[in-house]
Amino acid sequence: MNVHLDAILHPGRVVAVAILLGVVWSTLVEGCTQIEIMAPSGELVVANAVEADDKITGVGMTYSVTPRGVQHGGNPSSCMSFTTKYGENCVGCPPTAIPNLYFSPSALLWYVNVEVNHTLTSCRYSLAQGSFGGMSEVGLSINEHTLDLAVFQTPDPSMPTLCKDDLQSWILGMHSTVAEVIAGLQSVRVVGSRGNQYGVQDTTGASIVIEFVKGELRIHNNSVGSDNTGIGIMTNDPTWDWHLQNVNNYVSLQPTWAGGNNAGIRRVVPNESTYPWATNAYDSDRPMISEPIGHGYNLGHLPGDGSPPARFIRSFSLRGYAMQNAPP
């Protein structure tokens, strides 16, 4: 396995997780975008946009609460069973409603770090069944994203087998920090069908991406840190490390006006009657080339489609430029 532990733990206080139940980009989309920002107060804000399915029939979202001390797993019998130490709440939609799954653009739900003392239902659903995120009573949170390339582990007789559908409740109900989750994943084999990756955060500001690639566990450090200099972005396919390398293909993007880019080759247009305008529209100077004639050229080449690579680049760049020009 590959575990990237450098500087995973960062100071902070409370994890606030927002899920924006949102836009259907195109037919049959299962896409999510997670963006993290460390607030000046030391609170890690995790926004998660969810785009899913191809239906136009809306269904109500469910908010599910499970107390501590509830047994999970054991179904099928090859899955390990466990009794949770921490209460958890999760958000999703009823499994019976999945054939008509659609997320209302107006819905905005916040996970709240509360003492859980009653049960509505459990969080034992994968994204295909209904649940795609949650938070425990101690502030550990998880977001579940589609990763079609994912291939989970195979059983090992010497280790407990944790079924993928129980992974969310196992993480939230049995661990209090990201460090504990990383250690716990070394002691189990996570098995299941393809299709998911996971973002996990805690109250210290630590954040990781959990992926299963070619049957191996991969854990990536996704923390933004107290000064917001880390990554803090997750979308979907391909794998998270691929997206990081892809960022280097967009180095031409910049946060400021593009006017100075070509100062060395700028030229005054010859004073000829056939030229369409004799002076600039905004002053009496002679027109010049190469010079921007409008705004937004600094973001030229910024992808605008709904694909996971485009969403990663767009989220990484626009968040960074916004915070650079107007820090929180």
Side-chain angles (χ1 to χ4, degrees), residues 30 125-129 131-132 143-152 164-165 167 192-198 210-213 236-237:
E30 289 183 350
Y125 306 129
S126 67
L127 178 60
Q129 294 171 304
S131 176
F132 45 79
N143 290 314
E144 185 172 337
H145 287 199
T146 296
L147 184 68
D148 290 328
L149 291 176
V151 177
F152 285 78
K164 185 188 76 170
D165 289 349
L167 180 60
S193 59
R194 302 186 180 197
N196 300 100
Q197 66 180 167
Y198 308 87
I210 302 171
E211 296 178 333
F212 295 88
V213 181
N236 306 102
D237 292 86

Side-chain angles (χ1 to χ4, degrees), residues 15-19 34-37 44-48 110-111 141 143 201 207:
V15 178
V17 180
I19 286 196
Q34 175 180 299
I35 304 174
E36 302 180 15
I37 296 175
L44 177 65
V45 179
V46 185
N48 193 41
W110 283 87
Y111 294 132
S141 64
N143 290 314
Q201 306 83 29
S207 176

Side-chain angles (χ1 to χ4, degrees), residues 6 8 30 72 76-77 134 174 176 181 203 208 222 250 268 282 324:
D6 294 342
I8 282 183
E30 289 183 350
H72 293 265
S77 59
M174 302 298 290
S176 62
V181 173
T203 57
I208 57 174
N222 198 29
Y250 295 87
V268 176
Y282 38 84
Q324 179 177 334

Side-chain angles (χ1 to χ4, degrees), residues 79-100:
C79 300
M80 62 178 284
S81 59
F82 54 93
T83 301
T84 57
K85 298 188 294 183
Y86 307 106
E88 59 182 298
N89 53 68
C90 67
V91 64
C93 55
T96 55
I98 290 299
N100 294 318

Side-chain angles (χ1 to χ4, degrees), residues 113-193:
N113 185 14
V114 295
E115 183 84 7
V116 178
N117 56 17
H118 65 284
T119 301
L120 299 180
T121 183
S122 75
C123 295
R124 191 188 187 277
Y125 306 129
S126 67
L127 178 60
Q129 294 171 304
S131 176
F132 45 79
M135 177 180 276
S136 74
E137 63 179 282
V138 293
L140 188 70
S141 64
I142 185 170
N143 290 314
E144 185 172 337
H145 287 199
T146 296
L147 184 68
D148 290 328
L149 291 176
V151 177
F152 285 78
Q153 296 168 304
T154 57
D156 182 338
S158 66
M159 303 174 68
T161 296
L162 177 64
C163 288
K164 185 188 76 170
D165 289 349
D166 296 314
L167 180 60
Q168 178 171 306
S169 287
W170 179 79
I171 287 177
L172 295 181
M174 302 298 290
H175 308 85
S176 62
T177 65
V178 163
E180 288 184 7
V181 173
I182 293 173
L185 286 169
Q186 317 309 311
S187 63
V188 298
R189 300 285 289 182
V190 182
V191 302
S193 59

